[in-house]
Amino acid sequence: DSGVTQTPKHLITATGQRVTLRCSPRSGDLSVYWYQQSLDQGLQFLIQYYNGEERAKGNILERFSAQQFPDLHSELNLSSLELGDSALYFCASSGQQGPYGYTFGSGTRLTVV
Amino acid sequence: SQQGEEDPQALSIQEGENATMNCSYKTSINNLQWYRQNSGRGLVHLILIRSNEREKHSGRLRVTLDTSKKSSSLLITASRAADTASYFCATVGANQAGTALIFGKGTTLSVSS
């Protein structure tokens, strides 16, 4: 157990639907990062939150959104899903001292059918 | 978008041999990190090297960094079958917003017994 918890582990849904992925960071970590991993695009950074506020955006589609709550857990919302959104979605967290030694969750495998 | 590019894309060796993976990146960095990913699992942090360091060791791992060439290498000595995994380099840019790691596409290492 890495200390970063992601739920659910697997998700199968139909095109056009909306899903929410959840991440609980390692205790004490203020930053949460979301990544998408697919065979053709590799590991793509989506978005970072720090202590409840958006810190940086990467290749996140407008159909996707995220937030970090006061208890520091984060949710990634994916809407109007397309077949191409099928991927592994990872959450990572890091401590307030800097980006050292990110801790990754085990991921959510999303399959859009 | 990818910051780093690993080379080779795939590497097959015998147990006991050394494995060397290379990474090149594009922009100035604060630090460079290497991660391991077993098939379909989360990423595990291996080692971090700061931009003002040239070499770092951790157990059977040796990482070098050449900021003038914007490149790094990861050496795994005396490889074991359990080292079979994908290895990624990741950087935190010196001038980027936030502290997200930007990953390369990875090297897939296969160690046979």
Side-chain angles (χ1 to χ4, degrees):
Chain A
D1 181 9
S2 69
V4 175
T5 304
Q6 287 189 251
T7 57
K9 292 192 184 307
H10 302 275
L11 200 48
I12 301 175
T13 190
T15 55
Q17 294 299 303
R18 172 189 169 94
V19 297
T20 297
L21 313 183
R22 182 187 169 102
C23 169
S24 294
R26 192 180 60 167
S27 178
D29 285 354
L30 299 180
S31 277
V32 169
Y33 312 82
W34 286 97
Y35 289 86
Q36 178 194 59
Q37 186 178 35
S38 60
L39 283 175
D40 55 342
Q41 294 294 321
L43 266 161
Q44 296 285 325
F45 164 62
L46 297 178
I47 196 164
Q48 177 194 357
Y49 277 84
Y50 177 81
N51 201 21
E53 295 190 2
E54 183 184 301
R55 178 61 65 92
K57 270 187 172 179
N59 300 321
I60 189 166
L61 299 173
E62 285 192 9
R63 301 183 285 109
F64 296 0
S65 65
Q67 54 185 327
Q68 187 179 28
F69 295 87
D71 67 353
L72 300 179
H73 91 270
S74 178
E75 294 181 356
L76 178 67
N77 301 297
L78 316 176
S79 62
S80 303
L81 285 167
E82 302 174 359
L83 296 178
D85 297 327
S86 296
L88 263 172
Y89 290 84
F90 287 107
C91 166
S93 71
S94 70
Q96 63 180 354
Q97 295 305 315
Y100 308 130
Y102 287 31
T103 304
F104 278 78
S106 56
T108 293
R109 182 172 293 281
L110 173 66
T111 303
V112 183
V113 298
Chain B
S1 62
Q2 250 65 38
Q3 159 76 304
E5 292 289 337
E6 285 91 339
D7 170 58
Q9 289 188 331
L11 181 61
S12 293
I13 59 173
Q14 299 286 319
E15 264 192 329
E17 295 181 339
N18 295 341
T20 299
M21 289 159 265
N22 302 296
C23 166
S24 60
Y25 57 91
K26 298 173 185 173
T27 63
S28 297
I29 60 171
N30 284 330
N31 64 73
L32 185 144
Q33 304 182 34
W34 286 88
Y35 285 77
R36 183 186 75 231
Q37 183 182 31
N38 291 90
S39 180
R41 309 285 293 274
L43 286 86
V44 175
H45 177 259
L46 295 176
I47 195 165
L48 177 150
I49 186 165
R50 293 181 174 79
S51 60
N52 61 353
E53 297 176 313
R54 292 296 166 260
E55 188 171 312
K56 203 161 183 181
H57 297 255
S58 177
R60 294 184 295 114
L61 306 180
R62 172 179 168 252
V63 168
T64 61
L65 178 65
D66 187 334
T67 53
S68 67
K69 295 181 179 178
K70 291 187 171 58
S71 67
S72 173
S73 68
L74 171 67
L75 168 67
I76 304 174
T77 59
S79 297
R80 306 165 181 168
D83 295 326
T84 295
S86 292
Y87 292 81
F88 296 88
C89 72
T91 58
V92 178
N95 301 307
Q96 71 179 55
T99 53
L101 284 169
I102 306 301
F103 285 85
K105 292 199 171 184
T107 292
T108 300
L109 173 65
S110 177
V111 182
S112 53
S113 54

